[in-house]
Amino acid sequence: MVLNGDNGAFDQLVKRHSSRVRGFVRRLCRDRDIADDIAQDAFILAYRRLYQFKGESGLDSWLLGIAYRCFLQHQRKQQRWPEPCDDPDAAVNDANTNASALADHIDLEKALATLNPTQVAALTLNLSMGYSHAEVAEIMALPLGTTKSTISRSLDKLRTLMNAPPLSGTGRS
C-alpha cells in the first residue's frame, strides 16, 4: 500500500491516473514537456501528502486538484500565462485525421487559447472529463456559483468565437 511506502503501489497509482492528470495539465499549459514536469511534480506532492487524502472525493479528483495547484504555482513562477497555440499536437485528444475534423479541432484550440487558464480548466474538467460542477468546484477550490458562472461564460465566449448557436443542457451540473 502507498501509505506504507510501497513504491510498487505508488507506481500503480501513477500508471492508473497518469494519463488523466497529464492530459489535463497539457490542456492548461499547451507544452508537453512542461506539462509532464508539472504532472510529475503533482504525483510527487500527492505521494508526500497521501496521508491527507480522506476519501471524501475520488482519488482522481484529489490528484487533479493537486495538479491544478502545481500548474498555478508554475505559472506564478513564470509570471506569465501560456501563449496561444496553433499546433494541433498540443491538444489533449488528437483530432480525427480527416481534414474537416482537423480544421474544427484547430478552430477549437484557437478559441480555447483566448480563454484564461481558469476557464480552460473548468471547461476541460466539466465537458471533456465529465466532472460535475460541484466536482469541478472542489478540484479547483472555487465556490460552486463561481464555477457554474465560469463554465457558462466560457461556453458563451467559445460559441461566439466559433459562431455556434447556444446549446441547451451542456455539461454536467
Side-chain angles (χ1 to χ4, degrees), residues 142-162:
L142 295 173
L144 180 58
T146 301
T147 301
K148 287 181 178 184
S149 63
T150 298
I151 291 169
S152 177
R153 289 181 185 139
S154 302
L155 281 172
D156 288 344
K157 185 173 181 179
L158 285 179
R159 284 187 202 104
T160 300
L161 290 168
M162 298 185 74

Side-chain angles (χ1 to χ4, degrees), residues 73-166:
Q73 184 64 33
H74 171 79
Q75 292 306 114
R76 283 185 205 108
K77 287 179 185 175
Q78 298 299 311
Q79 292 293 316
R80 65 177 183 81
W81 293 106
E83 296 297 320
C85 176
D86 291 331
D87 180 7
D89 288 337
V92 176
N93 298 315
D94 292 333
N96 191 331
T97 54
N98 78 43
S100 176
L102 184 57
D104 289 346
H105 177 73
I106 291 171
D107 288 346
L108 177 59
E109 288 301 314
K110 286 180 180 178
L112 282 168
T114 67
L115 302 178
N116 69 47
T118 300
Q119 294 169 318
V120 174
L123 284 177
T124 299
L125 289 166
N126 183 239
L127 299 177
S128 296
M129 300 176 94
Y131 288 98
S132 70
H133 289 159
E135 291 168 322
V136 173
E138 182 180 332
I139 290 168
M140 295 180 67
L142 295 173
L144 180 58
T146 301
T147 301
K148 287 181 178 184
S149 63
T150 298
I151 291 169
S152 177
R153 289 181 185 139
S154 302
L155 281 172
D156 288 344
K157 185 173 181 179
L158 285 179
R159 284 187 202 104
T160 300
L161 290 168
M162 298 185 74
N163 297 317

